[in-house]
Amino acid sequence: MNERLGPLVPEIVLAAGSVVGLLSGSWLPRRRQWVVRLITAAACLAALAATGIAAAQAPTVDFGTSYVIDVATNTVRVTVLAATLLVVCLSIDAVAGHPRESEFYVLLQLAALGTIALAGANDLLLLFAAYLLASIPGYALAGFFKDALGTEAALKYYLMGALLGVAMLTGITLLYGVGRSTSYTVLRTALASAPHGVAAVGVVAVLAGLLFKAGGVPAHFWVPDVTDGTSTPVAAFVTTVPKIGGLAALLRLLTDAVPTNAVNWPLLVAILAAASMTLGNLAAFFQTSVKRLLAYSTVSQVGYLLMAVAVATRSGLGITSLLFYLLAYAATNLGAFAVVAELPQARSLSDYRGLARTHPGLAAVLVVCLLGLVGTPPTGVFLGKLEVFTATIDGGYGWLAAVAVANTVASLFYYLRWLGPLFLSQQTDSAAEPLQTTGGWPAIGAYTAGAASLTLGIAGGAVLPLLHGPLS
Amino acid sequence: MSLQLFLLLSAGLFSIGVYGALSQQSIVMIMMGLELMLNGVTLGAGAFWHYVAPGSSSGQVIVVVVVVAMAVEMAMGFAVTTAIFRARDVDMVDMAADLSR
Amino acid sequence: MFWVLALLAAGGGFLVFRFDSMARATIALLVSFVATGGLLVVLGLGYLGVVVILMMIMEMIIMAVFMVAYMMNPAGLMPMAMYHNKPASLTISITTFVLLGGGIFLVRWPHRDSAPPADPTLQLGMALMGPQMLTMMTLGFALFATIVATVVLATHRGRYDRFGDDLLHRPAADPVPGGVGR
Amino acid sequence: MSGGAALVWLLLGVPLLGGATLAVAGRAVDRVAPAIGVAVAAAALVLGCVVAFTRPAGSAPLLVGISAGASVDGLSALMVVTVTAVTLAVLVSSVAEFAGTANPARFYGLMLIFAGAMLLTVTATTLVLLLMGWEVMGATSYALIGYWWHEPHRVTAANTAFLTTRAADLGLYVAAGAALAGGVGDLRLADLPGASSPWLHVVTAGVVLAALGKSAQLPFSFWLSRAMEGPSAVSALLHSASMVAAGAYLLLRTHPLLTASGWGEPTVAGVGATTALVLGLVAVAQTDLKQLLAASTCAQIGFMVLAAGAGAVAGGMMQLIAHAAVKSLLFLAAGAWLNALGTKALPALRGAARSYRVVGVTFTVGVVALAGLPPASLWLTKDELLAGVLQRSPALYAVGLAAAVVSAAYSIKAAWYVWRPLSPDAADGYDTERKGTRRVAPVVLAPLVVAAVFAAALGVLAVPAIAQPMKRALGAAAEPSSTWPELAVSAALAVGASGLTWWWGDHRAPLPAPVQTVFTGWLGLERAAHLLLVRPTFALAGALAAFDDQVLDRAVRDIAGSGTALARAASRVDGQGLDQVVTGLAAGARRLGRAARRPQTGQLHTYYAQAAAAFALLALVFVFVR
Amino acid sequence: MLSAIVFLPALAALGLLAVPVRSPRAAFLWTWICVSAVDLVLVVGAWIGYHPQDGFGWAENIPWIPTAGVGYHVGVDGLSLPLVGLTAGLFLAVAVYSLRETRQVKSYVCLFLVLQTVCLGLFVALDLILFFVFFDLSIVGMFFVIAGWGHGERSRAAATQFFLYTFIGSLALLLGFIGLSLAATPHTFDMVTLARTQPLAGRGAYAGLVLLAVALGLAVKTPTVPFHTWLPPAHTEAPATGSAILAGVLLKMGTYGFVRIAMPMLPGTWRRYATVFVVVGVVSVIYGALVALAQTNFKRMIAYTSVNHMGYILLAVGAAGILAGTNGQARALAVTGAVTQMVSHGLLTGALFLLSGVLYDRGHTYEMSSYSGLAARTPVFAGATALAAFGSLGLPGLSGFIAEFQIFTGSLPSATLGTAVAILGILLTAALFLLALQRLFLGPLRFPDAPGTPALFSDLRASEVASVVPLLALAVVIGIAPRFLLEVIEPAAGTLVRLVSR
């Protein structure tokens, strides 16, 4: 057997970081828990470095056939770790001095670890284990501050996760029943000859769990409520990081384990994609709460991402476009959330009136990120969209591309609703000034994310080649 | 006594669990429903192992994973319930519906 | 034997949502689980069967205690019926059952590929120590996460409440004196 | 570029640049403007005389395969001299009218540009250059007619003039395209007859249309009547040597084209003859001196057009030149009176000739010439061209003679009025147009006299000794000349008609009132144009605009409905109403949005139910879809 | 060289961002003027250094996203160089005009500098994606100009409508581009390669769809009837400078796209559907002119005349696609005329919009009915407007005539009927401009003395003269001695015509 730990250094570092963080946290005075923050950051950076080294090696399979380290895994590692770092940056002002601050960061790391494991899993059981690991810290984070809304968010998040987790296990069992194994490598051959009805049910059931992670229709119900109810940093985390792992896992499962002649999953995913983007956009139209609006926009973004999955095997560009879009999306979405986190009192769109005058920097980031989410050049998401559309048309899903275009236009409506007031003069009668900024850490995060989003767009040419490569 | 019978039984348990999860108001009862569904899954996994793929160990591992999952879900469930009970003194999902639309 | 256990499992499960008291429901669920464990034994998975039975007994007891501790009806014995959109749930669940059942009998299931191993437990052990080791590790961390998460969510008094913000305050300020540390 | 070419460009450049400079400089140079203007005009005249003999030609590349060519040949030499001469005369005489009034710089500038444009038109050898001069002339005529822009009716008159002539100009644009299609790549006027059929006919039609419009032939005549709103000096230039003359000139120039097309000549001849006759009658019916002269211009130009149609190029040319002298003379005189007495109504002008002798005499000379009375110029030139007509078609000749009679009638009518004895209450009729100065500036008299001399003497052009070389120069040596019998006949007719008119005096004509009004009202052409073209156009425009706002825009917005819904939502944000923006599908989009959020009940069990149902459905579907 | 020209303004904007907002207005405005001036000088240099015969000059080709076949490929030829010059000139004029701007000058200046980079970049782009990037950014930039500096709250609605509408168009364009690049093997977005290899030759339906998508996107931007409805509100609500840029430069992006992308990359398809473009062009000409004739709002009227003028361009490029019964000269004339018209319209309409800004600045309304006889008070203003108007109605001696004469002469042989109808357009424009001049400037003096309007309706100020007059002067130069311009355009037009007819 091949139980090598070498290729898993990033995961191990992260895991170690969480353990060390928890232990040291429990001996630290309340005001000095920032040490844990440092440990977390250090762990993420170390893991990033390790990933950098790992990315140079050829794709490998580890622990039997259960874990794969290839371009997808590495991209997800980088994205997740970077995103986690940003979220840490966003949450500093929110959790500093909180009695459970150490635990907060520990949970972040564990969730990140689970997300990475999702992407690397090449075995249904490992996939489910990763699912648990990625979900559970999320529930706790959602309810971290234990206020009324936060706990409600945690409750809904948890119950949805539990149900869909059960569905996922059911699917795993069914696939095992007809495929005689839970390893993708075996399933790929076994499912070809299996009774496709069972295979279809099993795949859909497993998808249920992964869609929950990705926050896509019809497993998206938790997204708006959790985003709205929990604290902004956590909202940023749960709408960004699990998506990455979920979609990567989706990609690997469908492309590696499920032959298209057993289940017509491209069509299935295409339908899910169309549903996600449409529903998300429509629901976002008349939102006045910025967090709910962002939540729905993330649902619609899942749609665009799923497009790439749908054509992953039909177009050579599919996988690359998905990975790049994930990268760009993470940066852009976190940027938007960072601005929201920097302005805690501004809850509704109207509160952003005049932001361009009072905080031009934040306004600029907001413009970049929101227009980025629309897909306006030269942001990263534009490049991602370009790649995804190209892949989709190339993969023969012209109608899906058309739907996506229509949705892009639709999405513009509500993003503009947000951007519009930015450039108006503030009402003089506004007694309670909503545009009070917090400590400034989120602002730093916002600038970083905005810059990253732009850089990805302009220097995308340098990044894209790194995302080429076969899934093994 | 055959695969079909076992599967039918697990399907039954699963469906009852679905009913419970959907129909109950109390968080704990919903959790029971979920547990019941998992119960069905356990049975299914065992049956598949015995009748289809005794050669592959995955069937057994599934059962182990299910058991762990049950424990974890249960613990989380209690924790969340405690939290929300403290925060707003409810243990009914219907009463936790401030976040909507 | 199968029929008995099957009846117990199904009946127990069915009764869970018929009883009007949580305590009883818990017991019914326990019965169902134990029956399942038994069925596993019947299927030749003795070890797992026992594990399931033991685990479930523990869990159900905890659940009962939990309910006695928290639920609004002391001892969970007070009659109660807390349903919502029953018809929809019924339709969905029955449909599920019909579909699954139909599927079960329509599908041509694969044949058994080989005889069951002499010692299933050994097979399981080899798997856990081999290809599925990573799964187990991950589950381990999932449990670790669960511990942290449950503590974060459930306990409102942390170390800083007991030993002060700098953790130097002794003895611990506990509502109920006693416990370790003296 | 050869010296000759330089010369022709210089000829064009001097007035154009000089004028542009004056016009741009504006009020700054008001005081010196008249002097500069006259000086430039004089220089132009000198240049004109020079080029008339050196016959330079220049050409410069302009567009793909199309060059801008200008040259001076026989035809244009005559035109150049005439134009420059008349311009000088008019500018000199207008000093009195414009010195001191609202900025003369603009006036002289525009006049010079106007003259320059005319020179460009007559020297152009390619269609594109001709068109440039042609259009600029139209635009400047607009600016000149509307010179007194404070009074709206004058501006409207200017608009009418410009739009009417430009409508006709479109013909030249079409002609240019057609010529290109017909294989005349360089658009040289000389090559136009070589255009391949059917394009040849398109070219001809375009050219004829443009010419008729410019020279106010039927049915375009009305704009000339409105053009009288402009200053007299403008009228003097506009009616004599430029603008209206340009049309006749173009037809004479492109006569080969008319021949080549086959139908061109008869059409043109017909229109010319009709105009000569009908507009003559209109002139008779006028009671306003300038209106009378305007109508007479149409009629006289009609003769030239007739000549072009009948192939009497030389005759037409003589007529054009002689008429230029006569008409400028008459308009200058009329302008002098208008300036002095503040009126141009014939009844009010009774005895004007007696009180201002010089003006009166010179005016009379002009009138005599216009009447075609021997020995004045138009008698001879008209017969010269009528001789050509006779050769073609006796019928047209007859019409021509009739028109000649009519011209005698209206001319003498004017003379009759101004020589009436001055009635004591004459002053009551004065100052209807503006405050008269009651004096005629001496500076005006010089050009009057000169013009009178020319008006009387230019008949010599028809004297064989001069006519033959001229015809050779025009390449029209073959054209017939008038014979004594013809001259005698026309003279007799003119004398007779004149006598009759003088005897008839101001008794109203023995015609039913409606007929009268038709003729006094210029045949109601303008009203017709309004009813048939202008009104419908504006109605259509209005309708389309409404359609654009209410139908098209709304439709588009409905398609982008949710976008405008956003506009409303945005407006709600800042409390400002954008209701007019929000339309139809906005509500639809809102409904959709609400529908899309309905699943988000906040009730967990509904989430459960929906998710379960959705996944069950998906599974079911994909069990069967593969 | 080109990169310098393109990115100089953006860099300047970056620099200005560092300058504190509190610093004096003049600092920003004069920096802007200087930068634009330098940029113009560079453009002139590039013009002098460009030899019309040798295809693309000053080309730079750096791989940008090689995996996607996207490169940073810029260069100028006879089709783009005039527009680059126009852009640089117009922006300088706008900068000078803005000297009296007072609202949030810093962001205003930065925005316009970025917009200048975007516009220049679009015209030099030789890569579809690069083109698209600038295309979209121009929309974004203009959105903020209209929304931020427009006349009051209504401007936000207009801005939104503008953004949404043109953005939809741009997405159609993107789909078309993707279609183009997918047809090529290897996939590439490089315009030159695509025009050379003709990947879509003989791909009937597919090519048709691609052309449809591309044409749709460009038609919205141009705009042609019936996609023009975003234009009037956008113009009426935009500030004068914004309108000048919008009409003078942004509209050209659409028409430029036709000659740069649609025609050379899909020649066969273009030929097949040429008649459609002719028809659309003619309809736009007549429709735009008629609707403009009915307007009472000066700025709205000018906006509609833009529809009319863009219609001429579409007519010309359409006619250039009809080979029957025509020769190369005619088609070359048509294309040359089209490009000339782009430049001419940019100059004249730019000037007209700036002048309309003067009108609003003095009278706070565009309603022509509230004015009369202004010429008495503001001779210079009246003169400049009259000159611009006459240029716009195609008077010889101004650039408009050179353009329109070529268009008509070149189009008539192939699209006889359409052109014959379209020629009526110049009569209609003449009518509407004469009416406008009469309403505003002639007759007895009258102007609104609403609160806020200066009691004395003052004539053009120095900055306004300095911004408008050069534009008109250039129009006159082109009208009298157009060779310097045509010598650049004609070779490229010839190449294009050959490409389409092959």
Side-chain angles (χ1 to χ4, degrees), chain E residues 358-366 370-371 447-450 453-454 457:
Chain E
V358 175
L359 189 69
Y360 190 87
D361 171 67
R362 310 288 196 275
H364 292 272
T365 173
Y366 293 119
S370 2
Y371 303 91
F447 56 82
D449 46 6
T453 60
F457 199 95

Side-chain angles (χ1 to χ4, degrees), chain D residues 544-561:
Chain D
L544 280 180
F547 168 79
D548 197 65
D549 291 343
Q550 277 137 38
V551 184
L552 199 47
D553 196 15
R554 168 159 315 169
V556 171
R557 285 184 185 147
D558 285 0
I559 293 159

Side-chain angles (χ1 to χ4, degrees), chain D residues 62 64 149 159 166 548 574, chain E residues 228 287 304 393 438 443 483:
Chain D
L62 186 65
V64 182
W149 50 262
N159 292 353
R166 190 165 211 212
D548 197 65
D574 35 72
Chain E
H228 65 284
Y287 186 90
Y304 276 109
L393 63 83
Q438 180 177 7
R483 284 317 301 171

Side-chain angles (χ1 to χ4, degrees), chain D residues 61-62 64 132 135 149-150 159 162 166 177-178 180 185 538 541 547-549 553 556-557 563 566 570 574 576, chain E residues 153 156 160-161 164-165 228-229 287 290 300 304 329 376 393-394 396 401 409 412 426 434-435 438 443 483 486:
Chain D
L62 186 65
V64 182
M132 291 176 85
E135 287 265 59
W149 50 262
H150 294 278
N159 292 353
F162 183 49
R166 190 165 211 212
L180 189 70
F538 273 88
F547 168 79
D548 197 65
D549 291 343
D553 196 15
V556 171
R557 285 184 185 147
L566 140 69
D574 35 72
Q576 286 286 342
Chain E
E153 299 286 359
R156 293 247 322 292
T160 310
Q161 193 187 0
L164 295 174
Y165 208 148
H228 65 284
T229 47
Y287 186 90
L290 279 174
R300 245 181 119 79
Y304 276 109
Q329 187 198 357
L393 63 83
F401 172 80
T409 323
L412 194 109
I426 66 173
L434 291 190
L435 277 179
Q438 180 177 7
R483 284 317 301 171
L486 298 184

